[in-house]
Amino acid sequence: MSILWRCGALIALGIFVGVLAQYEWQPRDAFDEIKVKFDRATGDNCPILHVSDLFLPEETVSHLPDIKEFDQNPIFPNRTALLLLHNMALTRGFFWSYILQSRFIRPAINDTYDPGMMYYFLSTVADVSANPSINASAVYFSPNTSFSSSYRGFFNKTFPRFAPRTYRLDDFNDPIHLHKISTMNTFDVRDLGAFSPDSISHDYSTDFYKINEWYKAWLPDIVENRHDTKTTYQVEIRYANNTNETFTFHGPPGADEDPGPVRFTRPYFDCGRSNKWLVSAVVPIADIYPRHTQFRHIEYPKYTAVSVIEMDFERIDINQCPKGEGNKGKNKFADTARCKKETTECEPLDGWGFRRGGYQCRCRPGFRLPSVVRRPFLGEILERASDEQYYNGFDCKRIGWIHKTPIDWYRLPQYTREKYLNHYYEYKNYTKGATSLHSEKVNVNEVLNFILGVTENTCKNFHSQDLVLNGDVAFGAKTQFANEAKMALRLANFISAFLQISDPLEVYSGKRVADKPLTEDQMMGETLSLVMGNSRIWTAATYWDRSKFTNRTLFAPFAYKTQKNSRKFKLEDVARINKTGEDYTELPYFKLLKQRWAANFDSLEKYYMKMRIRHNETGEHSQKYEHYPNFYHAATMDHGFWTAPKFECKGYVKKWLITYAAPFFGFDSLKVKLEFKGIVAVSMNMLQLDINQCPDDYYVPNAFKNTHKCDEKTSYCVPIQGREYELGGYKCECLQGYEYPYEDPITYFDGQLVEAEFLNIVNDEKSRYDTFKCRLAGAAALRVEFTILSAVLLLTWMMFRRWSR
């Protein structure tokens, strides 16, 4: 019995030690170094940490979006959140620059047209509420450059400091939510410019603030020599009364300038505020300073503030793969993947954030997966493996006999050609033009020929019904254009918040006055900024319902651009088009959303705010904003509407456009219940979508589903991103038990090449399509397994002995 107990103890000890030593085979690398620094800073000790301990190296966030490459290289899914961060900051930079200078549009009176404080606060709230990946938003003004209309007798005076900021709170323990479920819909809103003059560490414009790298990115702006150093943008405005105006204003640097308009900061610990590691995108805000001097020669454009949009560092994917072609640039975590370089190569995956294992190990050219392995080795499995598992597995097998890629090819025999045409029968009997979309199985070549053949010059030759496509032709728009839809949703959320919280008739004690109602300039600027801040948005509009905008029966600012990378934009109030049946209130998606939200608003999202504002003009300290209601209801992405692709032959932008519309709401005249006030709509070019030709479930509405040309017996289809509205946006990977037979730097058949060679078969020309097949995986080489051979010989000898008796 004692022997059994001893054996059991030894086994338990072995298991315990084995678990403790499971990762000892892994050498310390850059991830461990950053993780130690990441865990060191907390909300309790960050005030006494050295400033270097509050920042991570710049190269810990790699592959940052570059505005100069947006139209050349695709943005992959693991950087779409950073792209939204980039575009949101740029949009806000354009808006604040426009609205601060738009007073030159109006007659000079003894008042200021600047937005009030509540406009700033609710604007930053909407930035965060409409975008789950964004966790904070702020506008930081330089000292004594912020003019306000929120105090009586404050004309041409400035706040010493002004910095409205909103960040998302975890409301798990909030008494408002009795279910104890974190909704992430509660926001801390405060003016960081309200602090005691004796507390210099709260001054965000000084070095004592420690983490204000976002401020130093553009401010203070010291203009030397020439005063015309700020980039100018031109807007052609047409009002409802058909009067025209060309307004030129100063804004952030252009996309073609160096540096560009957006700067990303190093990851920093947001000490004393959200107490998280954040990364921010920073865009400067331009204004004419000083103001109202009556001497224009001393008023010059200057960066007076910055727009800062922040997101959690933990949510940004790291790239552990080695550097190489297509994977260049600074990267702290480069080459920390555990892939065995002799037989495998690393490929990053998206959605892993700041943790190990966000990659997979694919077989290198000349190697194949073992027959018992179906897909590439996952990095997460490698990172958790023991040393015995790691060193004895996760290898690809060498392919023993490799073919040379065929150089000369020929026309396929007629029977072979007929075999393929019978399988893809839609290439034998097909129709051209718009009717090609209505076949039982579409001929994708003819469908694309029709869609790409509709242009500004040829659209008049088609019937109006042919210029409206089915929604399945734009499959993937909801995910690929999600960032653009979120920007429209952000504006809808802001209008909802302002209409429900800000009351222009409210009376405050002291000199403070309530914000005035929304103005035409503000709505025009908000709409225009959507087009200016996102290269994929071609048109943007804010359609107000009848008699819902102040002192206007109809009001609908519509902004658009006619070409990319331009500094000239157009803006008009389409309320001027008031012919019966042609005004914007007759748009199908406007009527649909108005009917949908005619009575019941229970499904709208509810957002709470904990707000602290300045006590007085000088902002000597902050105070709680005692106001009810301090929450608002607004739409989410699912409450919006996606239209089918349409070519507007008589429209402002003659392209295949997909529109997303989001509703906004406010109280009725009695302030008793909510009511529909209008919609915000943005339109994107359908031809910037990626086509998915791979198989999918029967219920997925994709017009191009299962139109790939991979050999289904030996390979399977995998989508490739970034090829937009062209055929061949996929690759043919070998199935389990098959191998890529050619001497090639890749291990798959490229979809564009497959489509081109198949088209040669259709046209009865020379083609090598018949060679695009994986072959059955065989032995890597001839060898003898002596163990098996010995066992077979022993078994044979025993059977022979038995029979001989």
Side-chain angles (χ1 to χ4, degrees):
M1 192 69 179
S2 61
I3 296 176
L4 291 177
W5 277 104
R6 291 177 183 177
C7 292
L10 287 174
I11 293 172
L13 180 62
I15 294 174
F16 180 72
V17 174
V19 170
L20 285 181
Q22 183 175 0
Y23 300 102
E24 289 183 356
W25 63 273
Q26 297 180 355
R28 182 180 175 86
D29 57 18
F31 183 88
D32 298 304
E33 174 191 340
I34 298 300
K35 191 67 168 64
V36 169
K37 196 169 185 178
F38 181 90
D39 294 333
R40 182 185 303 157
T42 65
D44 296 327
N45 65 8
C46 68
I48 60 174
L49 287 179
H50 189 269
V51 65
S52 61
D53 293 326
L54 300 177
F55 287 91
L56 298 179
E58 181 182 359
E59 58 271 18
T60 50
V61 181
S62 60
H63 305 81
L64 290 169
D66 187 352
I67 195 171
K68 296 178 175 57
E69 298 182 0
F70 283 179
D71 299 327
Q72 302 174 13
N73 299 322
I75 301 295
F76 293 104
N78 63 354
R79 287 298 178 266
T80 51
L82 279 173
L83 177 62
L84 177 63
L85 196 75
H86 175 286
N87 290 341
M88 280 295 302
L90 186 58
T91 298
R92 305 319 300 150
F94 276 122
F95 168 74
W96 294 116
S97 298
Y98 175 89
I99 201 64
L100 292 177
Q101 300 171 58
S102 66
R103 65 186 179 279
F104 295 113
I105 301 177
R106 304 299 176 187
I109 59 175
N110 191 22
D111 198 357
T112 175
Y113 297 104
D114 290 317
M117 286 198 301
M118 193 56 64
Y119 194 105
Y120 281 97
F121 288 130
L122 297 180
S123 177
T124 59
V125 169
D127 296 341
V128 182
S129 66
N131 302 292
S133 60
I134 292 177
N135 288 313
S137 173
V139 179
Y140 297 92
F141 279 89
S142 290
N144 296 305
T145 58
S146 171
F147 297 85
S148 177
S149 58
S150 295
Y151 289 93
R152 294 187 184 90
F154 210 67
F155 173 71
N156 205 19
K157 294 182 180 180
T158 59
F159 289 146
R161 304 288 188 277
F162 184 51
R165 182 177 189 262
T166 297
Y167 67 86
R168 193 186 307 273
L169 292 174
D170 187 355
D171 53 4
F172 176 80
N173 285 319
D174 199 292
I176 296 177
H177 305 290
L178 301 179
H179 297 290
K180 296 297 181 182
I181 297 175
S182 182
T183 66
M184 306 304 286
N185 287 341
T186 303
F187 310 105
D188 183 284
V189 189
R190 61 183 61 205
D191 182 0
L192 297 180
F195 58 88
S196 172
D198 300 330
S199 181
I200 194 171
S201 62
H202 288 83
D203 187 352
Y204 57 81
S205 64
T206 66
D207 293 335
F208 298 98
Y209 205 74
K210 290 187 178 182
I211 58 171
N212 59 350
E213 192 171 277
W214 25 261
Y215 181 86
K216 299 176 183 176
W218 296 100
L219 301 176
D221 182 26
I222 302 175
V223 180
E224 298 180 355
N225 300 325
R226 297 175 61 92
H227 285 175
D228 55 347
T229 58
K230 302 299 178 283
T231 309
T232 57
Y233 299 86
Q234 188 179 92
V235 186
E236 297 179 11
I237 305 175
R238 190 172 187 179
Y239 297 99
N241 59 3
N242 283 319
T243 59
N244 300 327
E245 180 176 2
T246 299
F247 176 55
T248 302
F249 70 98
H250 303 273
D256 55 335
E257 297 185 55
D258 192 19
V262 182
R263 290 180 180 174
F264 287 91
T265 64
R266 294 180 294 167
Y268 57 92
F269 190 80
D270 196 32
C271 183
R273 307 196 298 184
S274 61
N275 291 322
K276 295 181 178 180
W277 285 95
L278 302 178
V279 174
S280 61
V282 189
V283 174
I285 298 170
D287 192 8
I288 303 296
Y289 187 85
R291 294 188 184 184
H292 309 293
T293 63
Q294 305 301 321
F295 301 99
R296 294 303 303 272
H297 64 282
I298 63 173
E299 296 178 358
Y300 60 93
K302 180 181 180 180
Y303 293 147
T304 59
V306 288
S307 174
V308 181
I309 310 291
E310 300 159 294
M311 70 176 294
D312 278 354
F313 169 70
E314 285 185 278
R315 303 186 67 172
I316 302 175
D317 291 345
I318 62 174
N319 187 351
Q320 294 184 251
C321 296
K323 292 184 178 181
E325 292 296 329
N327 187 24
K328 299 179 180 179
K330 298 179 180 179
N331 184 5
K332 181 71 173 179
F333 306 103
D335 205 13
T336 59
R338 308 297 185 189
C339 295
K340 293 187 174 181
K341 297 182 180 179
E342 297 79 11
T343 63
T344 63
E345 57 189 9
C346 178
E347 179 181 2
L349 301 176
D350 58 275
W352 292 78
F354 179 61
R355 59 189 179 107
R356 290 185 183 274
Y359 59 90
Q360 63 181 7
C361 301
R362 304 176 50 81
C363 292
R364 290 183 58 194
F367 294 85
R368 63 171 174 81
L369 288 170
S371 58
V372 296
V373 180
R374 189 178 181 185
R375 292 289 186 268
F377 304 110
L378 282 177
E380 183 183 25
I381 305 300
L382 271 78
E383 298 285 350
R384 295 180 178 182
S386 65
D387 56 347
E388 182 180 358
Q389 292 172 327
Y390 178 77
Y391 290 116
N392 294 328
F394 309 114
D395 277 305
C396 291
K397 296 184 177 296
R398 182 179 293 277
I399 299 176
W401 309 101
I402 301 179
H403 295 166
K404 289 287 185 180
T405 305
I407 299 177
D408 188 21
W409 51 92
Y410 50 87
R411 290 172 58 186
L412 295 183
Q414 193 62 27
Y415 65 88
T416 307
R417 179 172 179 268
E418 287 297 324
K419 179 186 73 171
Y420 288 121
L421 291 182
N422 286 335
H423 181 69
Y424 300 101
Y425 58 85
E426 67 272 15
Y427 284 86
K428 244 185 162 181
N429 300 311
Y430 58 86
T431 56
K432 296 185 177 182
T435 54
S436 62
L437 286 161
H438 307 296
S439 305
E440 181 181 354
K441 189 173 182 182
V442 297
N443 183 324
V444 289
N445 288 85
E446 293 303 324
V447 170
L448 256 68
N449 288 338
F450 161 68
I451 292 176
L452 300 178
V454 179
T455 64
E456 181 179 353
N457 300 322
T458 63
C459 65
K460 300 175 183 177
N461 303 329
F462 296 90
H463 193 276
S464 58
Q465 293 180 348
D466 297 335
L467 299 181
V468 181
L469 305 179
N470 294 332
D472 58 358
V473 177
F475 173 75
K478 293 184 180 180
T479 55
Q480 298 179 46
F481 288 147
N483 282 356
E484 288 68 34
K486 288 176 182 176
M487 297 180 72
L489 184 66
R490 180 256 157 217
L491 178 52
N493 275 20
F494 164 72
I495 299 176
S496 297
F498 194 90
L499 294 180
Q500 296 173 42
I501 292 179
S502 179
D503 185 358
L505 301 179
E506 191 164 5
V507 177
Y508 297 100
S509 60
K511 296 182 179 179
R512 190 188 165 193
V513 295
D515 279 30
K516 298 177 181 178
L518 295 173
T519 66
E520 293 184 9
D521 288 335
Q522 290 168 357
M523 290 297 94
M524 287 183 170
E526 292 280 7
T527 307
L528 176 66
S529 66
L530 295 177
V531 179
M532 299 182 71
N534 192 316
S535 62
R536 301 181 76 179
I537 294 179
W538 284 87
T539 73
T542 305
Y543 298 127
W544 287 77
D545 198 9
R546 188 175 300 273
S547 301
K548 300 303 180 185
F549 190 77
T550 307
N551 298 327
R552 290 288 301 272
T553 303
L554 294 175
F555 179 54
F558 182 92
Y560 64 99
K561 57 190 174 189
T562 55
Q563 62 181 10
K564 280 189 173 183
N565 303 321
S566 173
R567 296 184 185 177
K568 295 182 179 181
F569 301 87
K570 297 187 178 182
L571 175 67
E572 65 175 86
D573 185 354
V574 293
R576 67 182 183 82
I577 305 174
N578 53 11
K579 294 182 181 178
T580 303
E582 293 186 9
D583 61 85
Y584 65 86
T585 58
E586 296 298 320
L587 289 171
Y589 51 90
F590 185 94
K591 294 170 68 176
L592 185 146
L593 288 173
K594 184 176 180 179
Q595 293 169 3
R596 181 184 297 176
W597 298 100
N600 194 329
F601 305 95
D602 292 343
S603 63
L604 292 179
E605 198 74 27
K606 192 174 184 179
Y607 300 99
Y608 294 88
M609 292 176 294
K610 297 181 178 180
M611 189 178 298
R612 296 189 67 86
I613 63 173
R614 60 179 54 228
H615 174 68
N616 53 15
E617 304 95 313
T618 56
E620 295 176 356
H621 62 85
S622 63
Q623 65 183 23
K624 186 178 180 181
Y625 180 60
E626 299 289 354
H627 185 273
Y628 184 85
N630 209 8
F631 59 84
Y632 67 95
H633 297 82
T636 63
M637 279 282 289
D638 295 335
H639 295 145
F641 179 75
W642 292 89
T643 68
K646 184 177 182 180
F647 196 99
E648 290 280 0
C649 201
K650 297 181 180 179
Y652 298 101
V653 177
K654 296 176 176 58
K655 297 180 183 293
W656 288 104
L657 296 180
I658 302 172
T659 301
Y660 174 79
F664 53 86
F665 310 90
F667 288 116
D668 59 7
S669 57
L670 299 177
K671 289 199 172 185
V672 174
K673 65 182 184 68
L674 291 176
E675 66 177 4
F676 173 83
K677 294 289 188 179
I679 65 172
V680 177
V682 292
S683 299
M684 290 69 67
N685 185 4
M686 182 189 70
L687 301 186
Q688 291 185 278
L689 285 176
D690 289 333
I691 293 177
N692 188 345
Q693 295 181 250
C694 294
D696 212 331
D697 294 322
Y698 69 92
Y699 52 81
V700 175
N702 180 7
F704 300 99
K705 177 175 56 181
N706 203 22
T707 59
H708 67 93
K709 305 302 183 299
C710 296
D711 180 51
E712 296 181 353
K713 293 182 179 180
T714 64
S715 61
Y716 63 96
C717 175
V718 179
I720 294 179
Q721 296 148 348
R723 296 192 173 177
E724 296 189 345
Y725 220 76
E726 295 182 4
L727 295 182
Y730 60 88
K731 57 183 178 180
C732 303
E733 294 274 8
C734 293
L735 284 168
Q736 184 180 9
Y738 291 85
E739 62 189 17
Y740 186 77
Y742 298 109
E743 185 180 17
D744 208 353
I746 58 176
T747 59
Y748 56 85
F749 301 106
D750 191 288
Q752 287 184 334
L753 186 60
V754 172
E755 291 283 346
E757 294 301 330
F758 179 81
L759 204 57
N760 288 338
I761 294 179
V762 176
N763 299 329
D764 200 12
E765 298 175 353
K766 289 183 177 181
S767 174
R768 50 179 169 165
Y769 177 77
D770 204 36
T771 67
F772 293 154
K773 298 178 181 178
C774 298
R775 72 182 180 193
L776 193 65
L782 293 175
R783 66 180 183 180
V784 177
E785 186 61 56
F786 290 102
T787 304
I788 298 177
L789 180 62
S790 301
V792 172
L793 291 175
L794 178 61
L795 181 61
T796 305
W797 179 76
M798 292 174 64
M799 295 296 293
F800 178 76
R801 285 283 303 272
R802 184 175 181 181
W803 290 338
S804 61
R805 293 177 183 176

